Amino acid sequence: QVQLVESGGGSVQAGGSLRLSCGYTQRLFCMGWFRQAPGKEREGVAILNGDGNTRYADSVKGRFTISKDNAKNTLYLQMTNLNPEDTGMYYCAARDLYCVTLDLYRNYNWGQGTQVTVSS
């Protein structure tokens, strides 16, 4: 079973930037980032399919960029112009099927998460 390990979270002020990383032990076709704020449901942030197709949540378009380095077995999420609404636990997920939407597919493999806190 694939192992996913996130890193790169932290505390930043509004307007700041962070880059999250997700190391994986097995390359799967669809990989993505999800987040969960306190008291809220987990939501999709960005996904990247093996054919290069990406999808972003409307709230992060133009600010976040998902990318992958297969040579390093690492998925990234570059986050810029962060605001307090971006605060939450960020999770890496992967599955070996095409991802059409940002839905939480039942067969996703999940990492343990990394915390992002943005202060105003």
Side-chain angles (χ1 to χ4, degrees), residues 17-36:
S17 300
L18 282 173
R19 188 177 77 161
L20 305 183
S21 299
C22 172
Y24 50 88
T25 57
Q26 180 182 348
R27 190 182 308 175
L28 299 182
F29 192 80
C30 170
M31 300 194 71
W33 289 97
F34 297 76
R35 67 186 180 189
Q36 187 165 15

Side-chain angles (χ1 to χ4, degrees), residues 60-117:
V60 308
K61 283 180 181 177
R63 301 188 298 121
F64 290 12
T65 303
I66 188 171
S67 63
K68 188 170 62 171
D69 186 336
N70 287 328
K72 296 183 178 180
N73 280 9
T74 303
L75 179 76
Y76 300 102
L77 184 68
Q78 179 67 50
M79 306 186 294
T80 63
N81 195 20
L82 286 160
N83 59 63
E85 289 70 39
D86 296 316
T87 293
M89 185 70 76
Y90 282 69
Y91 298 91
C92 175
R95 71 175 200 156
D96 211 15
L97 290 171
Y98 199 90
C99 295
V100 178
T101 70
L102 290 167
D103 289 346
L104 276 66
Y105 293 106
R106 294 178 64 183
N107 57 354
Y108 267 133
N109 298 279
W110 294 94
Q112 294 300 307
T114 185
Q115 177 68 36
V116 172
T117 303

